[in-house]
Every structure is written in C-alpha cells, then in structure tokens.
Amino acid sequence: MKRPTIPDLAKAAGVSVSTVNRVLNQPKSVRSPTQERVLAAAEEIGFYGLGTIEHAVKATRTTHHLGVLLQRGSRAFYRNLGDAIASAAETFGSHKIELTLEFLEDLSPEKVANHIISMGERCEALAIVAPQHPLVADSIDAVLEQGVPIVSLIGPLSAKGNISFVGLDNWKVGRTAAWAFDKMVRIPGEIGVLVGSHRLRNQEMNESGFRSYFREHNSRFSVLEPLPTYESAAVAREHVETLLTEHPSLCGLYISGGGVTGAIAALRAMPKRDDFVAVGYELFDDTRAALIDGTLSMIISHPMQRFARETVATLIKAKIAGRYGGAHRVAFGFDIYTPESV
C-alpha cells in the first residue's frame, strides 16, 4: 500500500495542507484542538511522520502542576485511588500533567494543615482528603490566598474561601444503606454504626441520610450512636466485639467508614446468623472476600476510574478558572455490590 502523504493526512483531519505543514513546523501558530485533530488523524491512518507530529503537539501543550493529598497509603482504598488518579493524569486528553501524589499517615489536624500548606507551595491546584477542623480550614484559606484552588475529595470541606468538591452524594449513600437494611432484615431491631471520625463530613452526612430513611419509612429500627474507629482496624474490631456482646439482639452493622477489615474480622469470629445484615464500603480484595463468604451483605463503593477522571478534570478546570472562578461541585453515582454480583 502507498504510505499516507501530507495531503492524505489533511483530508483525514479535515484541514488544509498548509495547516498540517504548520502543525509540523510552526505548531504554536495552530489552535490546540486543531493540533489534536491532526495528531489523532495521523495515528489513525499511520502517517509516516507521526513521531514528529506527536513531538510538535506535546511541545505546545500547557503543563499543569497538580497535587493530590490522600490519607494513609497503608489502606487499600487510598492506594487504589492514588493509582487511578496517577493513571488518569497520564492519559488525560491533550493536557500535559505533572502530578504530585502524596499520602499522609499522621492524620492529626496539625500535620494535615502543615502538609496542605506545603503542597500548596509546590502545586498549581490541590485536591485533598481531610477532616473538618479549624486548623485545616485556616490552612486551606492560606493556600487559596496564594491563588491555588483547593478541591475536596470524598467529603466536602468548608472554609472562608471557595472549595470545590468531587465525590458521592453522601446523604444518598446513607439512605441507600438504610434501604438495604429495611429490605433485608427480617425482624427490625438495633443497628450498630461505625465511622472513621466525627470530623469526616462525608460520614456525618452518611449517618444523617441513614437515620432520615428510618424516620421516614420504618421507625421500628433503632440506630445506635456511631462509634469512631479513627481509621484503625484494631479499634473497629474492638467496637464490633463490644457491640455484639452488649447488644446480643443486634440485627445489623453499618460500616460507614474506617477500619472495615477489623470489623470484618470481628464479624467472622461470631457464630453465623442468617438474620444479621452488614453493609460496608469500598470494593477491594478484603471486602470482596467478605461478600463472597457472607460476612458482608452489601458494599457501597466509589466507581474508581470515574472518580479519578473527575478529580483530574476538576483540578484543571479550577486552575484555568483562576482565583475568582468559583467552586466546582461534581457528585456522581456510586456502585453497589452484593454476594451475587462480584
């Protein structure tokens, strides 16, 4: 076959021959969408000068220095989220992204606040997972004052300045979990609740939605006071063991956040009960196994790939919009898994 020529490429891209020549020799004189169209056409037809076009187009792309601060890297959920965001940044359309991805093991407000300020000095836009605390709010405002936009992930945050948000509608998450108990539990009774921290606003909203469903639809359930696990599997296990001892008629457990593997271990250690329902969060190896063996009845999970893409897209939008561009809010649907769907 005859190898594609510049006129062939121009025809495939829907542009003139002179435009293709300018992409090759003077790429800065061609609008970015046109450059990308020519590049895509060159890939499609196998144009012999593909490497030259790729180099020319990439050289004119704006570099976005983005930062993402996640919680403990020892937790599977945050490792998986970090991997997904890194992958999304590498393949995000026509944008050139330099990503700074960091995990924070010490979740004390002082450490979180200091790390936010540190990353704000090194990045043009910053996404964070953090507790609601005055020190954290002050650090966010300090970064915003420097013209660096902040995007809150998973749970919304409040400060004096505008903070964008990417995550689930957490009130709906709680309502959906409550619906599951209402439909699966045979005899309504007491339900235990675990949260990672009372300062994580997504879990606070989960609990609010959870309780509101029962107030509206089935008041025969009694929701116990939530127990904080401080994101520790050991603490979660201890809480569940205590709940099962002090509330022998407990009909279910809602693990809204923090230490799900510890809760699973405690549930596995108790005698199997067909009338007990446990709803957990996030699908990874341990929770998937707990679904399969019947320890968990249902899992509510972030769609990881979409979460990652929306995070990168919102960081870029916030950076381009500038200091006075306002906050962006992206809430997307969640995945539901049962023992029959994994």
Side-chain angles (χ1 to χ4, degrees):
M1 290 180 62
K2 177 184 174 184
R3 72 177 184 176
T5 63
I6 287 179
D8 294 327
L9 176 56
K11 182 178 180 181
V15 300
S16 66
V17 170
S18 63
T19 297
V20 173
N21 282 322
R22 283 192 293 123
V23 170
L24 285 165
N25 301 304
Q26 296 176 303
K28 291 183 179 180
S29 68
V30 182
R31 294 175 62 249
S32 179
T34 303
Q35 291 182 29
E36 297 297 336
R37 191 160 74 247
V38 172
L39 176 57
E43 292 172 343
E44 184 177 347
I45 69 173
F47 182 64
Y48 68 91
L50 176 60
T52 303
I53 292 179
E54 284 181 333
H55 178 77
V57 171
K58 288 180 180 179
T60 62
R61 287 174 177 168
T62 300
T63 300
H64 303 288
H65 299 274
L66 308 180
V68 176
L69 175 61
L70 301 179
Q71 294 187 1
R72 295 179 175 132
S74 57
R75 292 180 56 190
F77 169 71
Y78 287 113
R79 289 198 308 274
N80 293 342
L81 178 57
D83 290 343
I85 291 174
S87 177
E90 288 179 359
T91 59
F92 198 81
S94 61
H95 297 276
K96 183 179 178 182
I97 297 171
E98 290 188 6
L99 180 68
T100 300
L101 174 64
E102 298 182 3
F103 298 90
L104 194 57
E105 296 298 322
D106 186 341
L107 302 181
S108 64
E110 296 84 358
K111 289 290 186 180
V112 174
N114 289 337
H115 213 88
I116 288 171
I117 291 175
S118 171
M119 291 191 72
E121 293 171 348
R122 294 177 277 136
C123 305
E124 296 174 313
L126 179 61
I128 63 174
V129 179
Q132 185 66 55
H133 190 277
L135 290 175
V136 173
D138 284 347
S139 71
I140 289 171
D141 285 326
V143 172
L144 292 174
E145 280 295 315
Q146 299 303 313
V148 177
I150 298 282
V151 178
S152 176
L153 303 180
I154 301 177
L157 292 170
S158 60
K160 294 177 183 177
N162 289 323
I163 307 172
S164 297
F165 169 70
V166 176
L168 306 179
D169 184 328
N170 293 294
W171 192 75
K172 283 186 178 180
V173 170
R175 297 272 298 188
T176 302
W179 173 89
F181 283 98
D182 189 23
K183 301 306 178 185
M184 288 191 283
V185 172
R186 297 171 187 174
I187 302 176
E190 294 178 320
I191 300 175
V193 179
L194 298 185
V195 297
S197 167
H198 293 304
R199 287 192 176 274
L200 293 171
R201 290 186 63 195
N202 60 305
Q203 294 174 26
E204 178 186 50
M205 295 168 73
N206 286 353
E207 184 200 353
S208 177
F210 192 69
R211 292 181 182 277
S212 74
Y213 176 92
F214 290 122
R215 283 195 297 267
E216 183 179 346
H217 293 289
N218 197 335
S219 60
R220 292 179 296 164
F221 283 93
S222 174
V223 181
L224 301 177
E225 280 298 301
L227 300 173
T229 66
Y230 308 107
E231 307 295 320
S232 165
V235 173
R237 179 166 188 165
E238 183 178 344
H239 279 325
V240 175
E241 290 171 346
T242 301
L243 281 170
L244 294 171
T245 300
E246 296 181 355
H247 302 269
S249 61
L250 197 74
C251 71
L253 177 68
Y254 177 32
I255 311 163
S256 173
V260 65
T261 55
I264 289 170
L267 291 174
R268 282 196 177 121
M270 78 177 219
K272 289 288 185 183
R273 283 174 46 191
D274 292 336
D275 60 342
F276 190 89
V277 171
V279 175
Y281 66 93
E282 305 306 342
L283 186 71
F284 52 93
D285 289 345
D286 291 329
T287 56
R288 186 176 187 275
L291 270 182
I292 292 171
D293 69 21
T295 304
L296 293 179
S297 311
M298 190 177 88
I299 288 173
I300 297 175
S301 184
H302 287 78
M304 201 62 75
Q305 302 307 315
R306 181 173 181 189
F307 191 7
R309 290 195 304 272
E310 296 288 5
T311 297
V312 175
T314 304
L315 282 169
I316 292 174
K317 287 178 185 176
K319 176 205 164 183
I320 293 173
R323 184 170 182 175
Y324 303 106
H328 305 265
R329 185 179 187 277
V330 180
F332 45 86
F334 42 86
D335 292 334
I336 295 177
Y337 298 93
T338 70
E340 298 300 322
S341 69
V342 292

